[in-house]
Amino acid sequence: MEEISSQSIGKDDEDEIVMEAAAAVHGEPLQDGNCPPNVESAVEILQEKVTKQIIKEGHGRKPSKYATCFLHYRAWTESTQHKFEDTWHEQRPFEMILGKEKNEMTGLAVGVSSMKAGERALLHVGWELGYGKEGNFSFPNVPPMADIIYEVELIGFDEVKEGKARGDMTAEERIGAADRRKMDGNSLFKEEILEEAMQQYEMAIAYLGDDFMFQLFGKYRDMALAVKNPCHLNMAACLIKLKRYEEAIAQCTIVLVEDENNAKALFRRGKARAELGQTDAAREDFLKARKHAPEDKAILRELRLLDEHDKAIYKKQKEIYGGIFGPPPQPKPKPTNVLMRTWQWLILICQWLASLIYRLFRRERHKAD
């Protein structure tokens, strides 16, 4: 496994691009995927039973016969709109060797052979080049004579130089093929050709799928992880730049399942969480990363930014909530009613006069007696 020094979080190294603008994960569907997407581009007739509409343009050349292609696709029966396959949902790219595909994949292969790396397209395939007159009653479940709609993206392809499908390669060959893809991705990234770089990273990971990793142990597993984990981390770095923070968190978490103390994965997951406003979780990741890279300036900077953010929030809240109610209201003096006051004075004067008259009357009566 690659050893992470205390100064490696924010710098390049030989095996991994660690800058915050690395390549992104590729192949996320454009729409929710429950139904075939609406496409308005021109219809291209590839064969009598296969038509194509481009959703997103690709780049470079098209794969030749016997190229090993890596793709994501969804498939629906055209009549019922029932989705019966989705490799995006399974998070596992599909591998197809053109010219050696299964019979039911013939129409899909026709479409893929017309595509460039990175291209996404909608294919309409007649039942004759799909699951045929009988259909398929196991998995996937496709009714008889069902025309098929494919939404497919060609991640990339290896030409005949690789020579073998993944399943026919030895462990060393698969790891070597993945490492070449990773290095190609790194080179493309340094030239800031991010669309192509991310395809290389995803193809590298395709060589090192879960089914393969479960079979490895000892030095072979360490060799595979030394290729696989940097690809996930490079994707996470690019996803952060693209503001796709949830996906960046997922990529970092894949690495942390294998290596819970990976400082780069903790750091980048912390950055993504901080951008989503998950400050407590972000701080927890940064603090864990600091334990393994205590002198790393990038980690210390992010922790300082979190503290400044918290202080700014506290100050703002204090200003907002401190002024909601204001000072306690003072009782207002009751307005003086002139007429009422005059009447009260008259009553007092009358009472005083009555008392005076009564005293004078008592005095005169006393003298008479």
Side-chain angles (χ1 to χ4, degrees):
M1 289 288 293
E2 174 191 4
E3 177 129 1
I4 297 177
S5 69
S6 62
Q7 298 298 325
S8 67
I9 301 297
K11 299 180 180 179
D12 288 348
D13 57 48
E14 184 176 353
D15 293 327
E16 179 182 0
I17 295 171
V18 296
M19 289 186 290
E20 298 315 313
V25 78
H26 193 51
E28 274 301 309
L30 295 176
Q31 301 183 27
D32 61 16
N34 293 326
C35 299
N38 295 319
V39 183
E40 297 180 355
S41 60
V43 177
E44 180 182 356
I45 300 174
L46 303 179
Q47 278 193 16
E48 183 182 356
K49 299 296 181 179
V50 183
T51 63
K52 182 179 84 167
Q53 291 174 277
I54 295 176
I55 300 173
K56 179 171 72 74
E57 295 283 352
H59 52 79
R61 55 193 177 84
K62 299 173 183 179
S64 61
K65 190 174 182 180
Y66 303 126
T68 301
C69 299
F70 297 93
L71 52 131
H72 274 301
Y73 71 91
R74 294 194 187 95
W76 296 265
T77 54
E78 187 164 11
S79 59
T80 63
Q81 305 283 290
H82 166 67
K83 183 172 69 174
F84 59 87
E85 278 195 289
D86 188 340
T87 65
W88 278 294
H89 179 73
E90 297 169 3
Q91 297 183 343
R92 181 178 299 179
F94 181 73
E95 178 186 22
M96 171 186 286
I97 300 177
L98 296 180
K100 295 184 179 181
E101 68 277 352
K102 297 177 181 179
N103 288 337
E104 62 267 23
M105 296 292 180
T106 302
L108 178 60
V110 170
V112 170
S113 64
S114 74
M115 298 172 68
K116 299 176 181 179
E119 181 178 327
R120 188 191 296 256
L122 191 71
L123 304 178
H124 288 256
V125 175
W127 61 266
E128 296 89 344
L129 298 181
Y131 286 83
K133 187 175 182 179
E134 302 297 329
N136 192 60
F137 291 95
S138 58
F139 180 83
N141 184 10
V142 182
M145 301 178 66
D147 295 336
I148 300 172
I149 300 175
Y150 290 102
E151 179 187 4
V152 57
E153 179 167 350
L154 179 59
I155 299 168
F157 55 88
D158 282 327
E159 289 293 358
V160 182
K161 63 180 181 180
E162 294 293 353
K164 297 180 181 178
R166 287 177 296 178
D168 297 330
M169 291 181 176
T170 65
E172 293 93 337
E173 288 173 334
R174 285 184 72 156
I175 295 169
D179 190 55
R180 286 191 292 276
R181 287 300 184 186
K182 186 196 75 171
M183 298 304 294
D184 288 345
N186 290 357
S187 298
L188 289 165
F189 168 76
K190 289 175 181 176
E191 299 175 20
E192 297 192 7
I193 309 175
L194 300 183
E195 285 288 333
E196 295 184 35
M198 64 185 179
Q199 292 160 8
Q200 298 299 320
Y201 289 129
E202 189 165 1
M203 283 205 295
I205 293 171
Y207 277 108
L208 305 174
D210 291 341
D211 54 342
F212 175 67
M213 296 299 295
F214 287 147
Q215 302 173 35
L216 300 181
F217 58 90
K219 71 172 185 177
Y220 290 114
R221 185 170 181 81
D222 290 344
M223 289 168 59
L225 288 174
V227 176
K228 185 173 183 286
N229 284 349
C231 290
H232 287 297
L233 291 173
N234 292 346
M235 288 191 224
C238 185
L239 288 165
I240 291 171
K241 184 178 180 182
L242 296 175
K243 299 182 180 180
R244 293 161 60 178
Y245 303 118
E246 295 285 1
E247 296 170 65
I249 290 170
Q251 292 295 318
C252 293
T253 302
I254 290 171
V255 176
L256 290 168
V257 168
E258 293 287 349
D259 180 10
E260 63 181 356
N261 297 324
N262 189 297
K264 291 176 182 176
L266 289 166
F267 174 76
R268 289 178 185 163
R269 190 172 72 174
K271 285 202 69 172
R273 285 174 164 176
E275 292 290 348
L276 290 173
Q278 302 170 4
T279 53
D280 291 340
R283 182 177 285 104
E284 182 179 351
D285 279 340
F286 289 139
L287 291 173
K288 286 181 181 177
R290 189 175 65 177
K291 288 181 181 179
H292 305 286
E295 302 300 324
D296 191 276
K297 294 180 180 179
I299 298 173
L300 299 176
R301 181 180 67 249
E302 293 298 329
L303 284 168
R304 185 173 65 252
L305 289 174
L306 272 185
D307 290 339
E308 292 173 359
H309 175 266
D310 287 349
K311 289 178 182 178
I313 292 294
Y314 174 77
K315 182 179 179 181
K316 189 68 175 177
Q317 289 176 339
K318 188 176 180 181
E319 291 174 356
I320 293 173
Y321 295 116
I324 284 180
F325 302 105
Q330 300 294 325
K332 295 181 180 179
K334 294 181 180 181
T336 303
N337 190 319
V338 177
L339 182 60
M340 180 64 69
R341 293 288 237 167
T342 303
W343 177 252
Q344 289 174 346
W345 277 107
L346 286 173
I347 291 174
L348 289 173
I349 291 171
C350 290
Q351 289 176 343
W352 179 79
L353 288 172
S355 176
L356 179 62
I357 292 170
Y358 177 74
R359 287 198 298 272
L360 290 173
F361 175 77
R362 289 283 305 272
R363 184 182 301 171
E364 290 300 325
R365 186 174 178 182
H366 180 73
K367 287 180 179 179
D369 292 342

